[in-house]
């Protein structure tokens, strides 16, 4: 009867109930102007790189200062971000899906002052902590996966490749001098928990060799039926091997069926996929989600393999820089990278970007749904 003596009323189970289960409602964290005018916005404009103005039907305006940050942060760094929000904008901020931070203010002059302050904050090594930019016709902050820091099946690093790339294209992040927005994304393996299939430029880690089998320990570490069932192409089957006169239950891999996805390693740590020479990077170009001018598009492979060369990946950044420079010089205003390549022809694209074209880059796959499903909200006869 303890629950009755504590004041619990079975007739009104939610009365005076306090619980921390689940998130608080998002409206509790909205900036006051945004909360007041929620869903009633008239227009927005970009005042300068990294500074936006949103105007509501009521005439209220809110100014947003956007700066790029790393996806992986220390607690100390997050506390510093919170201190900046407390000092400049009443504690209100938000994170975008591309790992930007947006500080929201109600005064334009103060927003421009905050931009100057953020660009002046630097790490001990000299790099800018909170570079303001990533708006309009420029390079946005790079969304990426986990890489060597945390993921168990990466073919390359995420944080390292993204840092090297952003250093190479930093000028395009802090200004808006490109023909149109350029979204760069990075996924550290073909499972693509990043948006690389629909980005203007995509960095994709790829494996080229099948898993190594640790026969002696596999049966002790893994449930063999799970490892077999995990393979989407049926490349893994139960097997037995004899080593030093002893028989071990294990698996065998049909290499011609393996697509190097790492699903088997997810189920079985005795099937590691990582390989120094086999792992590397592919670059893809031309994807977009926007329905503007042309319909959404998937990106296409333009460089099938670049070897891992940490910590700066110079071969990768060189190609990305060449592509961006050629696009900047040749595209029309408002023309996305893939639209530019389609207009001049992909053959010409490889020529102006000084890229080698091989038979491995010919894309002849067309799913039947490609012809039957409505893929866009654009008018379709």
């Amino acid at each position: 009867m303890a629950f009755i003596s504590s004041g619990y009323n079975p007739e009104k189970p939610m009365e005076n109930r306090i619980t921390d289960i689940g998130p608080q409602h998002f409206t509790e964290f909205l900036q006051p102007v945004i909360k007041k005018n929620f869903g009633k916005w008239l227009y927005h404009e970009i005042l300068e790189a990294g500074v936006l103005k949103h105007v509501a039907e009521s005439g209220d305006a809110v100014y947003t200062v956007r700066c790029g940050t790393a996806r992986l942060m220390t607690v100390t760094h997050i506390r510093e971000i919170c201190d900046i929000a407390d000092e400049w904008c009443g504690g209100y901020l938000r994170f975008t899906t591309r790992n930007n931070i947006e500080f929201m203010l109600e005064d334009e002059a103060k927003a421009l002052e905050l931009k100057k302050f953020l660009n002046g904050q630097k790490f001990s090594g000299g790099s800018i902590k909170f570079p303001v930019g990533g708006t309009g016709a420029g390079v946005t902050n790079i969304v990426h996966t986990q890489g060597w820091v945390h993921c168990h099946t990466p073919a390359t690093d995420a944080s390292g490749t993204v840092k090297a790339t952003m250093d190479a294209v930093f000028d395009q992040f802090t200004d808006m001098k490109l023909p149109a927005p350029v979204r760069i994304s990075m996924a550290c393996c073909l499972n693509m928990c990043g948006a690389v299939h629909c980005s203007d430029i995509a960095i994709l880690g790829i494996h080229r060799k099948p898993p190594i089998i640790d026969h002696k320990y596999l049966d002790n570490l893994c449930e063999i039926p799970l490892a077999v069932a995990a393979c989407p192409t049926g490349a893994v089957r139960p097997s037995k091997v004899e080593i030093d006169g002893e028989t071990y239950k294990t698996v065998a891999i049909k290499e011609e069926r393996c697509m190097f996805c790492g699903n088997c390693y997810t189920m079985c740590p005795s099937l590691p996929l990582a390989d120094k020479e086999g792992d590397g990077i592919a670059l893809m170009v031309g994807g977009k989600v926007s329905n503007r001018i042309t319909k959404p598009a998937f990106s296409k492979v333009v460089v099938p393999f670049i070897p891992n060369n940490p910590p700066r990946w110079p071969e990768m950044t060189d190609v990305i820089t060449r592509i961006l420079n050629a696009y900047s010089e040749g595209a029309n205003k408002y023309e996305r990278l893939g639209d530019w390549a389609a207009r001049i022809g992909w053959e010409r694209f490889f020529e102006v970007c000084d890229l080698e074209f091989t038979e491995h880059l010919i894309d002849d796959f067309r799913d039947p749904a490609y012809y039957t499903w409505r893929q866009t909200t654009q008018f379709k006869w």
Side-chain angles (χ1 to χ4, degrees):
M1 302 298 290
F3 66 94
I4 295 179
S5 61
S6 66
Y8 174 73
N9 182 357
E11 300 297 326
K12 299 179 179 179
M14 298 305 295
E15 186 177 51
N16 300 321
R17 184 179 182 125
I18 299 174
T19 176
D20 60 355
I21 298 175
Q24 294 173 276
H25 199 271
F26 72 92
T27 54
E28 297 182 35
F29 307 100
L30 292 177
Q31 200 270 351
V33 173
I34 295 177
K35 188 172 185 177
K36 175 186 173 184
N37 299 280
F38 191 81
K40 298 178 180 179
W41 297 98
L42 199 59
Y43 70 92
H44 79 275
E45 58 183 332
I46 302 172
L47 301 182
E48 56 183 73
V51 181
L52 303 97
K53 176 183 179 181
H54 288 78
V55 179
E57 295 173 357
S58 64
D60 293 340
V62 63
Y63 300 87
T64 299
V65 181
R66 177 185 293 177
C67 59
T69 62
R71 177 186 170 188
L72 304 176
M73 302 185 199
T74 64
V75 173
T76 302
H77 191 59
I78 294 173
R79 285 175 175 162
E80 187 174 358
I81 294 167
C82 294
D83 289 341
I84 293 172
D86 288 338
E87 180 181 350
W88 287 85
C89 44
Y92 293 99
L93 62 87
R94 77 182 193 101
F95 286 86
T96 73
T97 56
R98 300 193 73 86
N99 308 321
N100 295 294
I101 300 173
E102 293 189 344
F103 297 98
M104 294 159 288
L105 306 89
E106 298 178 24
D107 181 79
E108 181 179 346
K110 193 173 181 181
L112 296 175
E113 189 180 347
L114 174 58
K115 175 180 176 178
K116 184 178 180 181
F117 170 80
L118 291 170
N119 281 330
Q121 305 304 300
K122 296 187 177 182
F123 289 106
S124 56
S127 59
I128 302 174
K129 280 187 181 181
F130 308 107
V132 177
T135 54
V139 172
T140 59
N141 201 15
I142 302 176
V143 64
H144 66 88
T145 56
Q146 300 170 91
W148 290 334
V149 172
H150 190 267
C151 186
H152 67 293
T153 56
T156 189
D157 190 31
S159 301
T161 55
V162 166
K163 167 63 175 170
T165 301
M166 189 53 85
D167 283 349
V169 303
F170 188 70
D171 288 343
Q172 284 90 357
F173 174 82
T174 55
D175 62 33
M176 299 185 292
K177 296 179 181 179
L178 292 174
V182 173
R183 307 204 183 281
I184 303 178
S185 300
M186 192 279 158
C188 53
C189 80
L190 282 166
N191 290 311
M192 290 199 305
C193 48
V196 298
H197 60 290
C198 55
S199 298
D200 294 281
I201 298 177
I203 304 164
L204 176 61
I206 59 169
H207 298 286
R208 299 189 302 171
K209 294 184 178 182
I212 302 166
I213 306 174
D214 192 347
H215 295 291
K216 286 188 176 182
Y217 296 97
L218 190 141
D219 190 34
N220 294 323
L221 283 172
C222 316
E223 293 186 23
I224 291 177
L226 282 181
V228 172
C231 181
T233 61
V236 181
R237 61 179 174 80
S239 181
K240 292 182 180 180
V241 298
E242 190 171 308
I243 302 174
D244 299 328
E246 194 168 345
T247 301
Y248 295 90
K249 290 182 179 179
T250 181
V251 298
I253 295 176
K254 196 169 186 177
E255 295 189 6
E256 60 269 26
R257 284 192 175 187
C258 180
M259 65 178 189
F260 324 120
C261 67
N263 278 7
C264 57
Y265 179 64
T266 301
M267 293 291 108
C268 179
S270 286
L271 294 169
L273 193 63
D275 181 84
K276 182 178 179 180
E277 295 180 355
D279 293 351
I281 292 169
L283 292 181
M284 304 167 72
V285 160
K288 67 166 190 165
V289 176
S290 169
N291 206 32
R292 190 176 181 279
I293 301 179
T294 58
K295 66 183 181 181
F298 288 127
S299 49
K300 301 175 183 292
V301 177
V302 296
V303 180
F305 186 77
I306 298 172
N308 277 323
N309 194 3
R312 302 301 300 173
W313 283 270
E315 299 90 349
M316 176 197 70
T317 56
D318 175 62
V319 173
I320 292 174
T321 303
R322 292 207 309 266
I323 293 172
L324 267 182
N325 289 342
Y327 164 68
S328 180
E329 294 172 5
N332 297 326
K333 192 173 183 180
Y334 306 125
E335 194 171 43
R336 292 289 288 268
L337 203 157
D339 294 335
W340 164 68
R343 176 173 61 83
I344 67 173
W346 283 95
E347 298 89 347
R348 176 69 175 156
F349 167 83
F350 278 86
E351 183 181 331
V352 298
C353 295
D354 192 23
L355 298 176
E356 180 185 2
F357 184 85
T358 73
E359 69 276 10
H360 303 293
L361 300 174
I362 296 175
D363 178 14
D364 61 352
F365 174 76
R366 288 291 183 269
D367 187 274
Y370 180 88
Y371 299 104
T372 58
W373 289 359
R374 183 183 294 272
Q375 297 176 300
T376 170
T377 57
Q378 291 179 336
F379 189 81
K380 181 178 180 181
W381 293 96

